[in-house]
Amino acid sequence: MFSFMPKMLRFQRSFSVSPFPTLPLQLPSPMETHLWFVVPDEFKSVSLLNQYMELLSPCEKENVLSMRGEQLQKSALLARTLVRTTIARYQINNRVVDPRSLKFKRNVHGKPELEWESDGGQCPSPLHFNISHTSSLIACGVTVNSSIGIDIEEKQRKIKNNILAFARRYFSLHEVEHLSAISDSEVQRQEFVKLWTLKEAYVKALGRGFSAAPFKTFTICIKNAFRTGFDHADDIESGASEVVVESSDHPERLTNNWQFGLFELASSHYAAVCMEKDKTSDAGMSAPMRLTVRKTIPFVEDECISGTDAVVPIAGLIEQF
């Protein structure tokens, strides 16, 4: 069991959570995503972890404690803390939010959503979020009035099975053909992980889950760059790397209402963001996704890393802020 847990349980009545240390942030604008992430290995303070535990609901605390092993408990705690403290940074409907007061629900497919109440009662929240994590990094993406899905994968993720055999099981025929054309096994593995990251983000943005939107039913394409792979620098620099989705059953049908961004994060991960395009804009226009990325230790420090070597665009139309 986590070493900080007994202390937390023993002193929770007298423990006081510090006021949220930052002024409310401006909400993301249309076609803008804010991505916040934490690195679990950087969290060493028992008192800080105790403070995070106090932010959680009774059900969340129970879920954290039910995890087997200290690392899984810590990861679960940081994931819920990141969601609560990230949302609480934004002033929604002219209200400053206490991270402890936030309530959540799940849609019919199990995707977590913010449960928002106004003076007139319960209403849909303008703020959308999605979370993804590996053992070494946890990220939360935020948009306003646009559904969002994010996925992060370790760049060195190992594939236990034969990559092409695994791809044939989950990927579309077009994607399998793309991977089959790559002779270098390491490049093939990297391309597989990038494709998986994009497909996962899309399914999460739909809010349906893997079972309701199997990976085989759609194809991820990079306009004018798909056959040469994601690392074709000329295509990316010329702005020809827009990511689109097409139906595997009807290849002529492109899904134009989603915007993608694929990038390297912290030199160690691939990160993909999929967000619904602004409904008020021209569906035929391909405006860049505005992206702001911050690394955080909640209550301690935040660091904006957009535009640095820590965020390297790979595919999709991305404009960093």
Side-chain angles (χ1 to χ4, degrees), residues 256-304:
N256 294 320
N257 57 325
W258 298 98
Q259 184 81 313
F260 290 85
L262 177 69
F263 51 95
E264 288 186 13
L265 180 60
S267 302
S268 57
H269 288 71
Y270 293 126
V273 175
C274 175
M275 66 177 295
E276 192 174 15
K277 290 184 178 180
D278 181 15
K279 297 181 179 66
T280 63
S281 65
D282 188 338
M285 298 294 289
S286 296
M289 174 191 296
R290 297 162 58 94
L291 177 68
T292 300
V293 181
R294 293 183 178 92
K295 180 181 178 183
T296 182
I297 298 179
F299 299 157
V300 178
E301 63 180 8
D302 303 327
E303 178 186 4
C304 182

mmCIF file of all heavy atoms in Angstrom, residues 256-304:
data_model
loop_
_atom_site.group_PDB
_atom_site.id
_atom_site.type_symbol
_atom_site.label_atom_id
_atom_site.label_comp_id
_atom_site.label_asym_id
_atom_site.label_seq_id
_atom_site.Cartn_x
_atom_site.Cartn_y
_atom_site.Cartn_z
ATOM 1 N N ASN A 256 -14.931 15.007 -42.486
ATOM 2 C CA ASN A 256 -14.291 16.320 -42.498
ATOM 3 C C ASN A 256 -14.482 17.124 -41.219
ATOM 4 O O ASN A 256 -13.955 18.227 -41.114
ATOM 5 C CB ASN A 256 -14.824 17.146 -43.683
ATOM 6 C CG ASN A 256 -14.421 16.556 -45.020
ATOM 7 O OD1 ASN A 256 -13.306 16.093 -45.175
ATOM 8 N ND2 ASN A 256 -15.338 16.575 -45.981
ATOM 9 N N ASN A 257 -15.255 16.614 -40.282
ATOM 10 C CA ASN A 257 -15.562 17.435 -39.116
ATOM 11 C C ASN A 257 -14.645 17.168 -37.930
ATOM 12 O O ASN A 257 -14.964 17.515 -36.796
ATOM 13 C CB ASN A 257 -17.022 17.231 -38.692
ATOM 14 C CG ASN A 257 -17.342 15.784 -38.394
ATOM 15 O OD1 ASN A 257 -16.809 14.891 -39.053
ATOM 16 N ND2 ASN A 257 -18.204 15.549 -37.416
ATOM 17 N N TRP A 258 -13.467 16.566 -38.177
ATOM 18 C CA TRP A 258 -12.505 16.322 -37.109
ATOM 19 C C TRP A 258 -11.139 16.876 -37.490
ATOM 20 O O TRP A 258 -10.722 16.784 -38.637
ATOM 21 C CB TRP A 258 -12.390 14.823 -36.798
ATOM 22 C CG TRP A 258 -13.671 14.230 -36.318
ATOM 23 C CD1 TRP A 258 -14.590 13.537 -37.046
ATOM 24 C CD2 TRP A 258 -14.209 14.326 -34.995
ATOM 25 N NE1 TRP A 258 -15.654 13.179 -36.269
ATOM 26 C CE2 TRP A 258 -15.454 13.650 -35.001
ATOM 27 C CE3 TRP A 258 -13.768 14.907 -33.810
ATOM 28 C CZ2 TRP A 258 -16.252 13.544 -33.870
ATOM 29 C CZ3 TRP A 258 -14.565 14.806 -32.671
ATOM 30 C CH2 TRP A 258 -15.794 14.126 -32.709
ATOM 31 N N GLN A 259 -10.466 17.434 -36.504
ATOM 32 C CA GLN A 259 -9.130 17.978 -36.707
ATOM 33 C C GLN A 259 -8.142 17.192 -35.858
ATOM 34 O O GLN A 259 -8.416 16.892 -34.694
ATOM 35 C CB GLN A 259 -9.104 19.454 -36.301
ATOM 36 C CG GLN A 259 -7.789 20.164 -36.559
ATOM 37 C CD GLN A 259 -7.657 20.610 -38.001
ATOM 38 O OE1 GLN A 259 -7.920 19.845 -38.916
ATOM 39 N NE2 GLN A 259 -7.256 21.850 -38.214
ATOM 40 N N PHE A 260 -6.993 16.853 -36.436
ATOM 41 C CA PHE A 260 -6.000 16.035 -35.744
ATOM 42 C C PHE A 260 -4.677 16.780 -35.594
ATOM 43 O O PHE A 260 -4.314 17.613 -36.427
ATOM 44 C CB PHE A 260 -5.710 14.748 -36.526
ATOM 45 C CG PHE A 260 -6.822 13.745 -36.545
ATOM 46 C CD1 PHE A 260 -7.838 13.837 -37.469
ATOM 47 C CD2 PHE A 260 -6.837 12.693 -35.638
ATOM 48 C CE1 PHE A 260 -8.859 12.897 -37.503
ATOM 49 C CE2 PHE A 260 -7.850 11.747 -35.660
ATOM 50 C CZ PHE A 260 -8.865 11.851 -36.599
ATOM 51 N N GLY A 261 -3.956 16.397 -34.557
ATOM 52 C CA GLY A 261 -2.572 16.808 -34.397
ATOM 53 C C GLY A 261 -1.779 15.650 -33.817
ATOM 54 O O GLY A 261 -2.230 15.007 -32.867
ATOM 55 N N LEU A 262 -0.648 15.346 -34.417
ATOM 56 C CA LEU A 262 0.239 14.296 -33.916
ATOM 57 C C LEU A 262 1.598 14.928 -33.671
ATOM 58 O O LEU A 262 2.145 15.602 -34.546
ATOM 59 C CB LEU A 262 0.357 13.152 -34.929
ATOM 60 C CG LEU A 262 1.325 12.015 -34.570
ATOM 61 C CD1 LEU A 262 0.807 11.204 -33.383
ATOM 62 C CD2 LEU A 262 1.554 11.096 -35.777
ATOM 63 N N PHE A 263 2.160 14.698 -32.478
ATOM 64 C CA PHE A 263 3.438 15.330 -32.150
ATOM 65 C C PHE A 263 4.202 14.497 -31.116
ATOM 66 O O PHE A 263 3.623 13.659 -30.413
ATOM 67 C CB PHE A 263 3.221 16.751 -31.622
ATOM 68 C CG PHE A 263 2.217 16.871 -30.501
ATOM 69 C CD1 PHE A 263 2.605 16.868 -29.172
ATOM 70 C CD2 PHE A 263 0.856 16.981 -30.786
ATOM 71 C CE1 PHE A 263 1.673 16.979 -28.153
ATOM 72 C CE2 PHE A 263 -0.087 17.101 -29.771
ATOM 73 C CZ PHE A 263 0.324 17.100 -28.442
ATOM 74 N N GLU A 264 5.509 14.727 -31.079
ATOM 75 C CA GLU A 264 6.334 14.142 -30.034
ATOM 76 C C GLU A 264 6.195 15.003 -28.792
ATOM 77 O O GLU A 264 6.173 16.233 -28.866
ATOM 78 C CB GLU A 264 7.796 14.088 -30.457
ATOM 79 C CG GLU A 264 8.106 13.056 -31.522
ATOM 80 C CD GLU A 264 9.602 12.953 -31.799
ATOM 81 O OE1 GLU A 264 10.388 13.506 -30.998
ATOM 82 O OE2 GLU A 264 9.976 12.334 -32.805
ATOM 83 N N LEU A 265 6.107 14.346 -27.641
ATOM 84 C CA LEU A 265 5.942 15.047 -26.377
ATOM 85 C C LEU A 265 7.051 14.643 -25.413
ATOM 86 O O LEU A 265 7.255 13.449 -25.165
ATOM 87 C CB LEU A 265 4.571 14.727 -25.772
ATOM 88 C CG LEU A 265 4.223 15.381 -24.434
ATOM 89 C CD1 LEU A 265 4.241 16.906 -24.552
ATOM 90 C CD2 LEU A 265 2.854 14.913 -23.944
ATOM 91 N N ALA A 266 7.769 15.626 -24.899
ATOM 92 C CA ALA A 266 8.819 15.422 -23.898
ATOM 93 C C ALA A 266 9.896 14.451 -24.375
ATOM 94 O O ALA A 266 10.530 13.775 -23.553
ATOM 95 C CB ALA A 266 8.214 14.953 -22.577
ATOM 96 N N SER A 267 10.080 14.340 -25.669
ATOM 97 C CA SER A 267 11.099 13.484 -26.301
ATOM 98 C C SER A 267 10.873 11.992 -26.073
ATOM 99 O O SER A 267 11.623 11.181 -26.599
ATOM 100 C CB SER A 267 12.508 13.856 -25.788
ATOM 101 O OG SER A 267 12.803 15.208 -26.048
ATOM 102 N N SER A 268 9.842 11.636 -25.335
ATOM 103 C CA SER A 268 9.669 10.242 -24.937
ATOM 104 C C SER A 268 8.351 9.620 -25.402
ATOM 105 O O SER A 268 8.205 8.403 -25.363
ATOM 106 C CB SER A 268 9.744 10.124 -23.410
ATOM 107 O OG SER A 268 8.761 10.952 -22.799
ATOM 108 N N HIS A 269 7.409 10.444 -25.839
ATOM 109 C CA HIS A 269 6.074 9.944 -26.167
ATOM 110 C C HIS A 269 5.584 10.506 -27.499
ATOM 111 O O HIS A 269 6.002 11.585 -27.927
ATOM 112 C CB HIS A 269 5.070 10.341 -25.078
ATOM 113 C CG HIS A 269 5.234 9.605 -23.793
ATOM 114 N ND1 HIS A 269 6.290 9.816 -22.933
ATOM 115 C CD2 HIS A 269 4.473 8.625 -23.213
ATOM 116 C CE1 HIS A 269 6.167 9.021 -21.877
ATOM 117 N NE2 HIS A 269 5.077 8.298 -22.030
ATOM 118 N N TYR A 270 4.684 9.747 -28.119
ATOM 119 C CA TYR A 270 3.871 10.274 -29.204
ATOM 120 C C TYR A 270 2.541 10.697 -28.590
ATOM 121 O O TYR A 270 1.975 9.971 -27.759
ATOM 122 C CB TYR A 270 3.630 9.229 -30.285
ATOM 123 C CG TYR A 270 4.859 8.809 -31.048
ATOM 124 C CD1 TYR A 270 5.212 7.463 -31.146
ATOM 125 C CD2 TYR A 270 5.664 9.751 -31.690
ATOM 126 C CE1 TYR A 270 6.337 7.068 -31.852
ATOM 127 C CE2 TYR A 270 6.796 9.358 -32.394
ATOM 128 C CZ TYR A 270 7.130 8.020 -32.473
ATOM 129 O OH TYR A 270 8.235 7.643 -33.166
ATOM 130 N N ALA A 271 2.046 11.856 -29.007
ATOM 131 C CA ALA A 271 0.761 12.341 -28.508
ATOM 132 C C ALA A 271 -0.117 12.714 -29.691
ATOM 133 O O ALA A 271 0.349 13.320 -30.660
ATOM 134 C CB ALA A 271 0.958 13.558 -27.604
ATOM 135 N N ALA A 272 -1.385 12.324 -29.628
ATOM 136 C CA ALA A 272 -2.347 12.666 -30.674
ATOM 137 C C ALA A 272 -3.545 13.352 -30.036
ATOM 138 O O ALA A 272 -4.023 12.941 -28.972
ATOM 139 C CB ALA A 272 -2.805 11.421 -31.425
ATOM 140 N N VAL A 273 -3.999 14.402 -30.691
ATOM 141 C CA VAL A 273 -5.206 15.119 -30.282
ATOM 142 C C VAL A 273 -6.184 15.092 -31.443
ATOM 143 O O VAL A 273 -5.816 15.362 -32.585
ATOM 144 C CB VAL A 273 -4.900 16.585 -29.912
ATOM 145 C CG1 VAL A 273 -6.185 17.335 -29.605
ATOM 146 C CG2 VAL A 273 -3.935 16.664 -28.736
ATOM 147 N N CYS A 274 -7.414 14.737 -31.150
ATOM 148 C CA CYS A 274 -8.492 14.793 -32.137
ATOM 149 C C CYS A 274 -9.619 15.624 -31.543
ATOM 150 O O CYS A 274 -10.095 15.321 -30.442
ATOM 151 C CB CYS A 274 -8.997 13.392 -32.480
ATOM 152 S SG CYS A 274 -10.419 13.368 -33.596
ATOM 153 N N MET A 275 -9.998 16.675 -32.239
ATOM 154 C CA MET A 275 -11.073 17.521 -31.736
ATOM 155 C C MET A 275 -12.067 17.833 -32.852
ATOM 156 O O MET A 275 -11.726 17.858 -34.029
ATOM 157 C CB MET A 275 -10.523 18.817 -31.139
ATOM 158 C CG MET A 275 -9.866 19.749 -32.134
ATOM 159 S SD MET A 275 -9.301 21.305 -31.370
ATOM 160 C CE MET A 275 -10.857 22.041 -30.872
ATOM 161 N N GLU A 276 -13.313 18.028 -32.449
ATOM 162 C CA GLU A 276 -14.352 18.369 -33.406
ATOM 163 C C GLU A 276 -14.135 19.780 -33.907
ATOM 164 O O GLU A 276 -13.831 20.692 -33.131
ATOM 165 C CB GLU A 276 -15.726 18.245 -32.734
ATOM 166 C CG GLU A 276 -16.893 18.288 -33.680
ATOM 167 C CD GLU A 276 -18.201 18.004 -32.963
ATOM 168 O OE1 GLU A 276 -18.230 18.062 -31.718
ATOM 169 O OE2 GLU A 276 -19.198 17.727 -33.657
ATOM 170 N N LYS A 277 -14.271 19.968 -35.216
ATOM 171 C CA LYS A 277 -14.075 21.289 -35.780
ATOM 172 C C LYS A 277 -15.154 22.248 -35.309
ATOM 173 O O LYS A 277 -16.277 21.841 -34.992
ATOM 174 C CB LYS A 277 -14.060 21.231 -37.310
ATOM 175 C CG LYS A 277 -12.819 20.560 -37.881
ATOM 176 C CD LYS A 277 -12.804 20.627 -39.400
ATOM 177 C CE LYS A 277 -11.533 19.999 -39.966
ATOM 178 N NZ LYS A 277 -11.515 20.061 -41.456
ATOM 179 N N ASP A 278 -14.794 23.516 -35.285
ATOM 180 C CA ASP A 278 -15.730 24.559 -34.878
ATOM 181 C C ASP A 278 -16.955 24.540 -35.792
ATOM 182 O O ASP A 278 -16.840 24.677 -37.006
ATOM 183 C CB ASP A 278 -15.027 25.921 -34.962
ATOM 184 C CG ASP A 278 -15.926 27.072 -34.529
ATOM 185 O OD1 ASP A 278 -16.966 26.796 -33.901
ATOM 186 O OD2 ASP A 278 -15.583 28.215 -34.828
ATOM 187 N N LYS A 279 -18.118 24.346 -35.200
ATOM 188 C CA LYS A 279 -19.358 24.223 -35.987
ATOM 189 C C LYS A 279 -19.720 25.517 -36.711
ATOM 190 O O LYS A 279 -20.485 25.500 -37.675
ATOM 191 C CB LYS A 279 -20.517 23.804 -35.071
ATOM 192 C CG LYS A 279 -20.334 22.440 -34.421
ATOM 193 C CD LYS A 279 -21.530 22.097 -33.570
ATOM 194 C CE LYS A 279 -21.394 20.715 -32.922
ATOM 195 N NZ LYS A 279 -20.289 20.671 -31.956
ATOM 196 N N THR A 280 -19.182 26.642 -36.259
ATOM 197 C CA THR A 280 -19.519 27.919 -36.888
ATOM 198 C C THR A 280 -18.620 28.246 -38.073
ATOM 199 O O THR A 280 -18.863 29.203 -38.799
ATOM 200 C CB THR A 280 -19.400 29.065 -35.868
ATOM 201 O OG1 THR A 280 -18.034 29.172 -35.426
ATOM 202 C CG2 THR A 280 -20.295 28.802 -34.668
ATOM 203 N N SER A 281 -17.563 27.433 -38.289
ATOM 204 C CA SER A 281 -16.629 27.711 -39.370
ATOM 205 C C SER A 281 -17.017 26.931 -40.616
ATOM 206 O O SER A 281 -17.837 26.011 -40.577
ATOM 207 C CB SER A 281 -15.200 27.348 -38.957
ATOM 208 O OG SER A 281 -15.088 25.961 -38.744
ATOM 209 N N ASP A 282 -16.428 27.274 -41.726
ATOM 210 C CA ASP A 282 -16.665 26.599 -42.996
ATOM 211 C C ASP A 282 -16.087 25.199 -42.931
ATOM 212 O O ASP A 282 -14.888 25.016 -42.700
ATOM 213 C CB ASP A 282 -16.004 27.392 -44.127
ATOM 214 C CG ASP A 282 -16.364 26.848 -45.508
ATOM 215 O OD1 ASP A 282 -16.747 25.671 -45.590
ATOM 216 O OD2 ASP A 282 -16.248 27.595 -46.492
ATOM 217 N N ALA A 283 -16.943 24.171 -43.118
ATOM 218 C CA ALA A 283 -16.489 22.776 -42.998
ATOM 219 C C ALA A 283 -15.418 22.449 -44.020
ATOM 220 O O ALA A 283 -14.622 21.525 -43.819
ATOM 221 C CB ALA A 283 -17.675 21.825 -43.163
ATOM 222 N N GLY A 284 -15.367 23.187 -45.117
ATOM 223 C CA GLY A 284 -14.379 22.898 -46.143
ATOM 224 C C GLY A 284 -13.022 23.510 -45.867
ATOM 225 O O GLY A 284 -12.050 23.201 -46.547
ATOM 226 N N MET A 285 -12.953 24.415 -44.895
ATOM 227 C CA MET A 285 -11.696 25.073 -44.576
ATOM 228 C C MET A 285 -10.880 24.214 -43.627
ATOM 229 O O MET A 285 -11.415 23.549 -42.756
ATOM 230 C CB MET A 285 -11.967 26.440 -43.939
ATOM 231 C CG MET A 285 -12.716 27.406 -44.848
ATOM 232 S SD MET A 285 -11.747 27.892 -46.282
ATOM 233 C CE MET A 285 -10.518 28.928 -45.479
ATOM 234 N N SER A 286 -9.569 24.238 -43.788
ATOM 235 C CA SER A 286 -8.671 23.463 -42.937
ATOM 236 C C SER A 286 -7.808 24.425 -42.133
ATOM 237 O O SER A 286 -6.661 24.704 -42.486
ATOM 238 C CB SER A 286 -7.797 22.528 -43.780
ATOM 239 O OG SER A 286 -8.587 21.573 -44.448
ATOM 240 N N ALA A 287 -8.383 24.973 -41.084
ATOM 241 C CA ALA A 287 -7.636 25.882 -40.216
ATOM 242 C C ALA A 287 -6.767 25.076 -39.271
ATOM 243 O O ALA A 287 -7.149 23.986 -38.841
ATOM 244 C CB ALA A 287 -8.605 26.762 -39.428
ATOM 245 N N PRO A 288 -5.593 25.580 -38.917
ATOM 246 C CA PRO A 288 -4.720 24.846 -38.004
ATOM 247 C C PRO A 288 -5.351 24.689 -36.619
ATOM 248 O O PRO A 288 -6.139 25.529 -36.178
ATOM 249 C CB PRO A 288 -3.463 25.719 -37.930
ATOM 250 C CG PRO A 288 -3.520 26.599 -39.120
ATOM 251 C CD PRO A 288 -4.966 26.817 -39.398
ATOM 252 N N MET A 289 -5.001 23.610 -35.954
ATOM 253 C CA MET A 289 -5.363 23.438 -34.555
ATOM 254 C C MET A 289 -4.415 24.283 -33.715
ATOM 255 O O MET A 289 -3.203 24.186 -33.838
ATOM 256 C CB MET A 289 -5.231 21.963 -34.151
ATOM 257 C CG MET A 289 -5.463 21.715 -32.663
ATOM 258 S SD MET A 289 -4.978 20.040 -32.159
ATOM 259 C CE MET A 289 -6.121 19.043 -33.102
ATOM 260 N N ARG A 290 -4.973 25.132 -32.879
ATOM 261 C CA ARG A 290 -4.162 25.933 -31.963
ATOM 262 C C ARG A 290 -3.864 25.071 -30.735
ATOM 263 O O ARG A 290 -4.782 24.555 -30.095
ATOM 264 C CB ARG A 290 -4.904 27.207 -31.567
ATOM 265 C CG ARG A 290 -5.190 28.134 -32.752
ATOM 266 C CD ARG A 290 -6.286 29.140 -32.435
ATOM 267 N NE ARG A 290 -5.957 29.971 -31.278
ATOM 268 C CZ ARG A 290 -5.366 31.162 -31.367
ATOM 269 N NH1 ARG A 290 -5.055 31.657 -32.549
ATOM 270 N NH2 ARG A 290 -5.110 31.867 -30.283
ATOM 271 N N LEU A 291 -2.596 24.936 -30.409
ATOM 272 C CA LEU A 291 -2.188 24.008 -29.350
ATOM 273 C C LEU A 291 -1.287 24.706 -28.336
ATOM 274 O O LEU A 291 -0.283 25.319 -28.698
ATOM 275 C CB LEU A 291 -1.436 22.820 -29.961
ATOM 276 C CG LEU A 291 -0.875 21.774 -28.980
ATOM 277 C CD1 LEU A 291 -2.007 21.010 -28.297
ATOM 278 C CD2 LEU A 291 0.049 20.803 -29.718
ATOM 279 N N THR A 292 -1.681 24.584 -27.069
ATOM 280 C CA THR A 292 -0.845 25.047 -25.964
ATOM 281 C C THR A 292 -0.583 23.858 -25.050
ATOM 282 O O THR A 292 -1.522 23.185 -24.615
ATOM 283 C CB THR A 292 -1.536 26.171 -25.164
ATOM 284 O OG1 THR A 292 -1.799 27.279 -26.033
ATOM 285 C CG2 THR A 292 -0.660 26.639 -24.015
ATOM 286 N N VAL A 293 0.688 23.592 -24.763
ATOM 287 C CA VAL A 293 1.077 22.444 -23.948
ATOM 288 C C VAL A 293 1.798 22.935 -22.701
ATOM 289 O O VAL A 293 2.730 23.747 -22.789
ATOM 290 C CB VAL A 293 1.996 21.488 -24.731
ATOM 291 C CG1 VAL A 293 2.361 20.279 -23.861
ATOM 292 C CG2 VAL A 293 1.329 21.038 -26.021
ATOM 293 N N ARG A 294 1.340 22.443 -21.552
ATOM 294 C CA ARG A 294 1.972 22.823 -20.285
ATOM 295 C C ARG A 294 2.283 21.579 -19.461
ATOM 296 O O ARG A 294 1.446 20.682 -19.333
ATOM 297 C CB ARG A 294 1.057 23.744 -19.476
ATOM 298 C CG ARG A 294 0.818 25.117 -20.090
ATOM 299 C CD ARG A 294 -0.049 25.960 -19.171
ATOM 300 N NE ARG A 294 -0.271 27.303 -19.681
ATOM 301 C CZ ARG A 294 -1.298 27.662 -20.427
ATOM 302 N NH1 ARG A 294 -2.223 26.758 -20.750
ATOM 303 N NH2 ARG A 294 -1.439 28.902 -20.841
ATOM 304 N N LYS A 295 3.460 21.571 -18.899
ATOM 305 C CA LYS A 295 3.846 20.560 -17.918
ATOM 306 C C LYS A 295 3.555 21.134 -16.540
ATOM 307 O O LYS A 295 3.808 22.314 -16.290
ATOM 308 C CB LYS A 295 5.330 20.241 -18.057
ATOM 309 C CG LYS A 295 5.851 19.207 -17.084
ATOM 310 C CD LYS A 295 7.350 18.994 -17.300
ATOM 311 C CE LYS A 295 7.923 18.002 -16.313
ATOM 312 N NZ LYS A 295 9.386 17.844 -16.481
ATOM 313 N N THR A 296 3.003 20.318 -15.659
ATOM 314 C CA THR A 296 2.590 20.848 -14.368
ATOM 315 C C THR A 296 2.927 19.911 -13.215
ATOM 316 O O THR A 296 3.006 18.688 -13.374
ATOM 317 C CB THR A 296 1.065 21.133 -14.360
ATOM 318 O OG1 THR A 296 0.694 21.692 -13.099
ATOM 319 C CG2 THR A 296 0.257 19.858 -14.596
ATOM 320 N N ILE A 297 3.130 20.517 -12.067
ATOM 321 C CA ILE A 297 3.048 19.842 -10.773
ATOM 322 C C ILE A 297 1.995 20.639 -10.016
ATOM 323 O O ILE A 297 2.289 21.736 -9.523
ATOM 324 C CB ILE A 297 4.397 19.849 -10.009
ATOM 325 C CG1 ILE A 297 5.464 19.093 -10.804
ATOM 326 C CG2 ILE A 297 4.233 19.221 -8.616
ATOM 327 C CD1 ILE A 297 6.828 19.073 -10.146
ATOM 328 N N PRO A 298 0.745 20.185 -9.992
ATOM 329 C CA PRO A 298 -0.335 20.990 -9.425
ATOM 330 C C PRO A 298 0.000 21.533 -8.036
ATOM 331 O O PRO A 298 0.551 20.829 -7.198
ATOM 332 C CB PRO A 298 -1.513 19.991 -9.371
ATOM 333 C CG PRO A 298 -1.239 19.062 -10.512
ATOM 334 C CD PRO A 298 0.250 18.887 -10.516
ATOM 335 N N PHE A 299 -0.337 22.793 -7.811
ATOM 336 C CA PHE A 299 -0.087 23.542 -6.583
ATOM 337 C C PHE A 299 1.373 23.956 -6.425
ATOM 338 O O PHE A 299 1.712 24.638 -5.459
ATOM 339 C CB PHE A 299 -0.506 22.772 -5.322
ATOM 340 C CG PHE A 299 -1.956 22.427 -5.254
ATOM 341 C CD1 PHE A 299 -2.383 21.375 -4.462
ATOM 342 C CD2 PHE A 299 -2.910 23.133 -5.966
ATOM 343 C CE1 PHE A 299 -3.726 21.041 -4.384
ATOM 344 C CE2 PHE A 299 -4.253 22.806 -5.902
ATOM 345 C CZ PHE A 299 -4.662 21.753 -5.106
ATOM 346 N N VAL A 300 2.252 23.523 -7.328
ATOM 347 C CA VAL A 300 3.683 23.820 -7.172
ATOM 348 C C VAL A 300 4.201 24.677 -8.321
ATOM 349 O O VAL A 300 4.696 25.779 -8.111
ATOM 350 C CB VAL A 300 4.520 22.530 -7.055
ATOM 351 C CG1 VAL A 300 6.007 22.857 -6.931
ATOM 352 C CG2 VAL A 300 4.060 21.704 -5.855
ATOM 353 N N GLU A 301 4.109 24.156 -9.546
ATOM 354 C CA GLU A 301 4.637 24.923 -10.673
ATOM 355 C C GLU A 301 4.013 24.463 -11.984
ATOM 356 O O GLU A 301 3.598 23.315 -12.126
ATOM 357 C CB GLU A 301 6.163 24.795 -10.760
ATOM 358 C CG GLU A 301 6.649 23.380 -11.027
ATOM 359 C CD GLU A 301 8.165 23.295 -11.102
ATOM 360 O OE1 GLU A 301 8.828 24.305 -10.805
ATOM 361 O OE2 GLU A 301 8.682 22.220 -11.456
ATOM 362 N N ASP A 302 3.959 25.381 -12.939
ATOM 363 C CA ASP A 302 3.509 25.107 -14.300
ATOM 364 C C ASP A 302 4.582 25.622 -15.251
ATOM 365 O O ASP A 302 5.208 26.649 -14.996
ATOM 366 C CB ASP A 302 2.187 25.817 -14.621
ATOM 367 C CG ASP A 302 1.073 25.446 -13.657
ATOM 368 O OD1 ASP A 302 1.073 24.302 -13.193
ATOM 369 O OD2 ASP A 302 0.228 26.316 -13.384
ATOM 370 N N GLU A 303 4.750 24.920 -16.363
ATOM 371 C CA GLU A 303 5.726 25.337 -17.365
ATOM 372 C C GLU A 303 5.122 25.177 -18.750
ATOM 373 O O GLU A 303 4.743 24.070 -19.142
ATOM 374 C CB GLU A 303 7.002 24.496 -17.256
ATOM 375 C CG GLU A 303 8.049 24.844 -18.296
ATOM 376 C CD GLU A 303 9.241 23.903 -18.261
ATOM 377 O OE1 GLU A 303 9.218 22.927 -17.482
ATOM 378 O OE2 GLU A 303 10.200 24.148 -19.022
ATOM 379 N N CYS A 304 5.014 26.280 -19.486
ATOM 380 C CA CYS A 304 4.530 26.212 -20.861
ATOM 381 C C CYS A 304 5.685 25.768 -21.753
ATOM 382 O O CYS A 304 6.733 26.418 -21.792
ATOM 383 C CB CYS A 304 3.994 27.569 -21.309
ATOM 384 S SG CYS A 304 3.317 27.533 -22.991
#
